[in-house]
Amino acid sequence: MPEHLDPSEQGALRLLSRSPHPYHHQNSELLDPSDHFEYKSSQINPTSTRSVRPSTSREITPSSDSGTEADDEHFLKGLPAPRRLRKGLRGRNELLSGTSTPIPSPASFEEEGRRLSYNLKRESHLGKSPRGPAEALRRRKEAVRRFTEFLIIGFLGVVVRTNIHVQPILRKWSREFDAGLGVSAFLVSLYPLRLVIWAYRHRTPGRKIPISIPSSFDPAPLIYPPAIAVLVSLLLAVDNEAILIPNIILAISSLPPSLIPVVSSVDQVCDPLHWTLSCTPLVLGEAFRMLTTGGAGSSSATISAETVTLLYPLHQNLCSVLRTLTTTSLLTAELQLLSISLIDLLLLSSSPQAIILKSMLWVGGLDILVSCTQAIQWGVSLARVPKWRFKRTNVPSKPRPAFISTLMSWRRVRHDLFHAPVDSLSCSSCEAFDDHEDSDELGSVASKGPLRVKTMPDGNDSAGADENQVFATSVGHKVSSHSIDPKPVSTPLRRHTLPSNENAARKSHTHTPSGRRKRTASNSVRAFFSLTQEQAAVRKWAYAVYVYICMAGAVILPVPFVGVRVTVMDGALHGNEPVGWALGYLFGNLPWFRWEVVSRGLERWICLPPRPSVEAGDSYGMGWVERLRQLYLGEANTRLVLSAYFAAIIIVGLIVVFRLSPVYEVDTRRKVFHFMMVAMFLPATYVDPTFAALALSIVLALFLLLDLLRASQLPPLSKPLASFLAPYVDGRDLRGPVVISHIFLLIGCAIPLWLSLGSLPRAGAGYLEGWDVPTREVSMVSGVICVGLGDAAASLIGRRYGQRKWIWGGGKSLEGSVAFAVAVFVGLITARLWLRVGGWPATDGNSDTWSVSSQKMGVCAATASLTEAVLTGGNDNVIVPVILWTCVKTLGV
């Protein structure tokens, strides 16, 4: 980019750039105080500013980091540009009508947002005013968008507060809740005052309140992690009150570090003041209880005060580790939510399904992190070395000729007597000695290569070299003019002549021909340059074998708190061996399997369920689906049928995707996976919710493991996995080493189910204790409805028919948002209808009439659709399903 241009002209040229920067983050965190004020500069002369082109009227919106766009996600580079006008790029002089679709790629949104933010901050530092009414209009639209985001969170808070089951919890824990809310509100309100004080102390502000909010500011890290943690914990505290206090402390711990006043100049992971503020709810709550109840604490608390006190350093260090592992793949709000979820899973999991998930993520994840980190880093560094940088294999030299053959070489004799060439190439000394005038063909000299030769002189005879240059020049002149010139008088014999181009520039080892400085290899990569390709291949396979052995050891190692198998056996299966338990869980109702187990005496290893018995008393109060599952088909056989159903849906979906590959674009093929999730889990979740939750947990762990192998670039699975995922990645997947699309799709479908199971009582007897729930509710499938139906409908409808944009611009259209709301509304009605038809008992609060339920479903669908339209600082496949689950659970749909 030319440096002499004005920033506006540079931005105009950058609009034509086709090279996104996927590894650059949007500025989603609160900035330093120096970036938020304006001051007067005495070094700028307003009259000396040169005239520039009028600012473009193209509307630039902040990037949408929410994963998939609701209506016009992106166009990959390999796809042809659409022919319709509304699907193309907007012109540079287009009016701010909002009728055109946005630019195709979210990466372009982010690049323009960063450019505009940089120009605005630069102009504010130079004392310049905003560029015109278009910029003011755009800022007002962005303010409306952010205000709508705060309204949604406020609406959710009011709805949760009015829930009849939450009100007793709030009254009981009001002191802790008010303390956490007060600390957060105090820090947020203190931040502008700190900015003003800093501006007056270090600069000369140009106005009384020198605060300027950058256009790229995204409040997602400020509102979503604390709000979601508190709201979800309030709904889950109905079943377990111990979850409330840890999540209030985690909500304070997740506040952006810029909100906390700086106490020490030393860069630390854990801020002492932030740590102290996070413990405020615990201190005030315990002091209040000691004054009112004489020191009696909460009877329902299952976490000690010491453990709760250490939540802040645990959260900060876990965020640091996750940021190191995922680099730029996750945004700040996503990292905070992921850390809070993992800590809750570690400390508060009590059901068998949650314990199994904790064992796989925490125990297995820590085992692999500790044992395989160095080997994976070596494998990645080795994979970055190009093949030509490896050491060349030494070619075996030819056998030395005998002494007699050296003395009596026939080729040497021919060369000395007849000036014959020693090899198939021409002899340079003969060419220099022979008279080219004696040649029969004038073009014979020109056919032998370059006419000018650089002679390597013998000794210090520089004059001879000059004469030889004159001779070469005269030869070139003779050939070009077809004339015979006399031979130079004295031409010494020069041997070892090499052709060269004297006008060629010398090759630089530090810069490219265009002048850009070459990037030097890191020390970790340079360490492998001494290997040959064969040695590098052996080293790769050694790393891969070591990683696979460590992964297998993390599963089967018989050490408590180290092996996943032992942890699952002790915590979730009541001491039963996991393999034998799984065999009985799936095949226990097959007659031939039961016969083999009994005949071979394997009852102590394989747990067999009781036989289905058809009795009138047992079927009282059961729906027809539950009666068929327990009394006729058998619970284990039902799980086999569901497994076969899942496998059939996956096979059919993959066939459809492969058939659509040469016909439809990437976005349409990606939505097939969304519909596959709907087809699998919308009808099957009510049949056996715990089995569906277990299946989602195992598949999530498998996805994470496979993506680790893909990112590590270790043979033999990394290349096939990368080749399979390459046609389905989007802009978010290219921002870091983790391909997050399929992982977030699975998490968005699974989180509402896991949360619903965490709020319901458990049933079951014997080795299946805790593996059944007596009731069902619509919130179990809210994630499948949101991600599978709403997101897919919004993308497909919005991309094709979306012409009216939201007032704040961006990639979301009104048509796409309406399609999202309608699809979610239809999905909720279908889920409630299937709940009634199947005859499952509903939880308390789900006995409304269809008219009341329809109104509640409309509110839930509209809230989720509006959240999806305004969200930019997080992936909508994760945050929007949680918002929808909160609405559905609170309103009792």
Side-chain angles (χ1 to χ4, degrees), residues 158-174:
V158 172
V159 172
V160 173
R161 176 67 177 80
T162 57
N163 186 272
I164 58 175
H165 301 288
V166 175
Q167 289 178 357
I169 305 297
L170 286 176
R171 286 194 296 266
K172 184 176 181 179
W173 301 92
S174 60

Side-chain angles (χ1 to χ4, degrees), residues 152-153 156 224 228 231-232 860 863-864 867 878-889:
I152 293 173
I153 298 299
L156 289 178
Y224 287 112
I228 290 178
L231 295 178
V232 171
C860 295
T863 304
T867 304
V878 177
I879 295 180
V880 180
V882 178
I883 298 296
L884 180 60
W885 178 85
T886 304
C887 289
V888 174
K889 183 72 174 179

Side-chain angles (χ1 to χ4, degrees), residues 30 150 180-196 211 213 217 219 221-224 226-227 251-252 254-261 274 277:
L30 294 174
F150 280 98
L181 186 60
V183 169
S184 302
F186 174 74
L187 292 175
V188 172
S189 60
L190 183 64
Y191 185 72
L193 180 61
R194 291 172 51 216
L195 291 179
V196 173
I211 298 178
I213 301 178
F217 171 69
L222 177 63
I223 59 177
Y224 287 112
I252 301 176
S254 64
L255 292 175
S258 300
L259 291 178
I260 311 301
H274 200 174
L277 292 175

Side-chain angles (χ1 to χ4, degrees), residues 443-466:
S444 61
V445 178
S447 63
K448 292 183 179 181
L451 297 177
R452 296 183 60 85
V453 295
K454 182 178 180 180
T455 312
M456 301 177 61
D458 297 335
N460 298 324
D461 190 4
S462 60
D466 296 336

Side-chain angles (χ1 to χ4, degrees), residues 459-630:
N460 298 324
D461 190 4
S462 60
D466 296 336
E467 293 177 358
N468 196 29
Q469 274 191 345
V470 174
F471 168 69
T473 308
S474 64
V475 172
H477 175 72
K478 175 189 66 175
V479 175
S480 61
S481 60
H482 297 278
S483 61
I484 301 176
D485 294 336
K487 188 185 303 183
V489 178
S490 61
T491 304
L493 178 62
R494 296 294 180 220
R495 307 185 60 178
H496 309 295
T497 55
L498 299 176
S500 65
N501 184 9
E502 296 181 355
N503 297 326
R506 184 177 180 181
K507 185 178 181 181
S508 175
H509 297 283
T510 60
H511 293 76
T512 61
S514 60
R516 181 177 58 86
R517 185 175 180 84
K518 294 182 179 179
R519 291 181 295 179
T520 58
S522 61
N523 294 330
S524 60
V525 175
R526 194 180 296 114
F528 297 100
F529 288 174
S530 60
L531 300 177
T532 63
Q533 291 191 22
E534 292 76 10
Q535 293 173 344
V538 173
R539 190 75 64 89
K540 285 182 181 180
W541 277 100
Y543 294 154
V545 171
Y546 172 78
V547 170
Y548 295 144
I549 292 176
C550 291
M551 290 180 178
V555 175
I556 65 177
L557 196 65
V559 180
F561 305 105
V562 176
V564 177
R565 172 177 165 274
V566 177
T567 307
V568 170
M569 180 176 63
D570 296 337
L573 304 181
H574 309 289
N576 296 303
E577 204 279 326
V579 177
W581 183 93
L583 292 175
Y585 186 70
L586 292 176
F587 306 100
N589 289 130
L590 296 177
W592 64 270
F593 182 80
R594 299 177 67 93
W595 169 256
E596 290 292 336
V597 171
V598 173
S599 61
R600 299 178 184 274
L602 302 176
E603 295 92 346
R604 299 186 61 182
W605 178 46
I606 300 177
C607 303
L608 296 178
R611 292 179 178 272
S613 59
V614 181
E615 297 181 4
D618 296 338
S619 62
Y620 179 77
M622 290 185 181
W624 66 273
V625 177
E626 192 68 15
R627 188 184 302 111
L628 179 65
R629 183 176 77 96
Q630 294 188 5

